[in-house]
Amino acid sequence: MRDLASAVGMEAASLYNHIKSKEEILFEICFSIADVYTKNILSVHQSNDVPTKKLEQLITLHLQINSNSSSLASVMNDEWRHLSSPDRKKFLDLRHDYENKFIEVLNEGIKKGEFKKLNPRIALFTILSSMRWLLHWYYANWEFDDREIKKDLKNMIFDGILVHNNSVHV
Amino acid sequence: MRDLASAVGMEAASLYNHIKSKEEILFEICFSIADVYTKNILSVHQSNDVPTKKLEQLITLHLQINSNSSSLASVMNDEWRHLSSPDRKKFLDLRHDYENKFIEVLNEGIKKGEFKKLNPRIALFTILSSMRWLLHWYYANWEFDDREIKKDLKNMIFDGILVHNNSVHV
DNA sequence: CCTACCGATCGGTAGG
DNA sequence: CCTACCGATCGGTAGG
């Protein structure tokens, strides 16, 4: 709180005229980002697009949040565990809902023969995890082209690293 | 330190008969795991295998460490930043060496036409990141088959999620 | 918005 | 290996 206060040019005690507690800040961050995910998966879920298109929209969403709101997203990702009793459960429920809807997209794609017959939960975690490095400051030192990252990441998730003769994304 | 002490059935003060400081524990964890990575990439680097084979060996290494030593590996991954001045730099140097050798493998594969023409640093971070979810307790609730995880993960890294007619890994 | 201060907790030491 | 205790730091409150 001392750090936050000095970052906005006041004493720690003065922060409490604007916020109720440290955890309130965490709450705001976690649920504002979770809201974006929830709204987006609902609209993807309701669309009539083909599974590959749905997956592409979800990946685009994650790439956007992870690069445009990386600090908020990394707080959400790493610190949600420190929410206390009722909020923590509420957050986990939102997350599980999101994951389940994402898995439905994967299952639909497998059934239609667009996606490989992978364990959908393993595929889910692997896809989300593969984009998570964008959140860490460690990599901020290497200057990347944002469009190149998005292109290469989509390419790898859809088609992997090996060269295929008839791949549509190469 | 109170938690660690009670986990081994003693008082916090008594720990200091066995260790010098809290940071010494962190040091041991970080550098013992880093050592495994360093030794392995050297032997892969010196082999005459084809890049695809080299990459497969590196992925196998990460999968093994991330699932067999997940708690040590997650401490190393998340807490190395808290090493103090000379050790922190030493650790980062090891890490950069590792990453550079990994990138050489990727570049070799691109040059030989085995791997797609991706930005090798983006590819590196994406590959390593995609396996990182194995480190988080959150997923421990879902009971997975270890061999299924390894199979699906390799499949996704090499060939992606889309179905290809002539993919060798499907 | 600040000064002054609180109780709890932390890594660690002294001394046995 | 324990009791007793230290200085620093943390989230937060009182009172102006």
Side-chain angles (χ1 to χ4, degrees), chain B residues 10 45 47 63 69 76 97 101 105 115 121 126 144 167:
Chain B
M10 52 172 79
H45 203 249
S47 80
L63 290 175
S69 314
M76 184 197 78
D97 278 355
K101 287 205 173 56
V105 172
F115 302 154
R121 183 151 264 124
T126 302
F144 286 122
S167 175

Side-chain angles (χ1 to χ4, degrees), chain A residues 52 55 78 80-81 88 92 95-96 99-100 106 113-134 136-139 142 144-145 148-149 151-153 155-170, chain B residues 52 55 78 80-81 88 92 95-96 99-100 106 113-134 136-139 142 144-145 148-149 151-153 155-170:
Chain A
T52 302
L55 178 57
D78 298 339
W80 64 269
R81 302 154 215 268
R88 188 187 143 106
L92 265 179
R95 178 161 171 165
H96 289 144
E99 291 176 352
N100 288 335
L106 295 177
E114 294 178 27
F115 302 154
K116 295 201 191 78
K117 287 186 178 108
L118 303 159
N119 178 316
R121 182 153 263 121
I122 294 176
L124 168 71
F125 290 154
T126 303
I127 291 170
L128 298 189
S129 191
S130 70
M131 295 180 277
R132 205 103 69 181
W133 61 273
L134 295 172
H136 291 89
W137 67 265
Y138 166 73
Y139 305 103
W142 312 100
F144 286 121
D145 174 18
E148 190 181 19
I149 292 183
K151 180 175 64 70
D152 283 357
L153 256 163
N155 202 331
M156 289 180 73
I157 292 172
F158 281 117
D159 289 314
I161 192 171
L162 292 185
V163 168
H164 304 101
N165 295 334
N166 66 340
S167 176
V168 283
H169 283 262
V170 174
Chain B
T52 302
L55 179 57
D78 298 338
W80 64 269
R81 302 155 214 268
R88 189 187 142 105
L92 264 179
R95 179 160 170 165
H96 288 144
E99 290 175 352
N100 288 335
L106 295 178
E114 295 178 27
F115 302 154
K116 295 201 189 77
K117 287 187 179 107
L118 302 158
N119 178 317
R121 183 151 264 124
I122 294 176
L124 167 71
F125 291 154
T126 302
I127 291 170
L128 299 188
S129 191
S130 71
M131 297 181 276
R132 204 104 67 181
W133 61 273
L134 296 172
H136 290 89
W137 67 265
Y138 167 74
Y139 306 103
W142 312 101
F144 286 122
D145 174 17
E148 191 181 18
I149 291 183
K151 180 175 62 70
D152 283 357
L153 256 164
N155 201 331
M156 288 179 74
I157 292 171
F158 280 117
D159 289 314
I161 193 172
L162 291 185
V163 168
H164 304 101
N165 295 335
N166 67 340
S167 175
V168 283
H169 283 263
V170 175

Side-chain angles (χ1 to χ4, degrees), chain B residues 23-168:
Chain B
E23 191 172 331
E24 193 189 68
I25 303 176
L26 179 59
F27 177 93
E28 289 295 335
I29 293 174
C30 289
F31 283 90
S32 68
I33 299 280
D35 227 48
V36 180
Y37 281 115
T38 300
K39 286 199 174 101
N40 260 278
I41 197 129
L42 276 175
S43 86
V44 167
H45 203 249
Q46 286 165 356
S47 80
N48 291 319
D49 291 325
V50 101
T52 302
K53 186 76 193 302
K54 285 183 180 174
L55 179 57
E56 208 226 320
Q57 286 167 350
L58 291 174
I59 289 170
T60 300
L61 170 68
H62 281 265
L63 290 175
Q64 259 158 17
I65 291 176
N66 287 8
S67 59
N68 299 345
S69 314
S70 59
S71 39
L72 295 178
S74 80
V75 168
M76 184 197 78
N77 264 288
D78 298 338
E79 313 295 344
W80 64 269
R81 302 155 214 268
H82 302 112
L83 289 168
S84 50
S85 49
D87 294 332
R88 189 187 142 105
K89 197 199 170 305
K90 214 176 99 186
F91 179 84
L92 264 179
D93 286 346
L94 283 177
R95 179 160 170 165
H96 288 144
D97 278 355
Y98 183 81
E99 290 175 352
N100 288 335
K101 287 205 173 56
F102 203 123
I103 283 176
E104 280 183 51
V105 172
L106 295 178
N107 274 328
E108 191 194 350
I110 293 169
K111 217 171 83 183
K112 293 193 176 170
E114 295 178 27
F115 302 154
K116 295 201 189 77
K117 287 187 179 107
L118 302 158
N119 178 317
R121 183 151 264 124
I122 294 176
L124 167 71
F125 291 154
T126 302
I127 291 170
L128 299 188
S129 191
S130 71
M131 297 181 276
R132 204 104 67 181
W133 61 273
L134 296 172
L135 298 179
H136 290 89
W137 67 265
Y138 167 74
Y139 306 103
N141 303 332
W142 312 101
E143 278 164 32
F144 286 122
D145 174 17
D146 205 53
R147 281 171 320 180
E148 191 181 18
I149 291 183
K150 289 176 181 175
K151 180 175 62 70
D152 283 357
L153 256 164
K154 282 191 185 180
N155 201 331
M156 288 179 74
I157 292 171
F158 280 117
D159 289 314
I161 193 172
L162 291 185
V163 168
H164 304 101
N165 295 335
N166 67 340
S167 175
V168 283

Side-chain angles (χ1 to χ4, degrees), chain A residues 48-67:
Chain A
N48 291 318
D49 292 326
V50 100
T52 302
K53 187 74 193 299
K54 284 184 182 174
L55 178 57
E56 209 227 318
Q57 285 167 351
L58 290 174
I59 290 171
T60 300
L61 171 66
H62 281 265
L63 290 175
Q64 259 159 15
I65 291 176
N66 287 9
S67 60

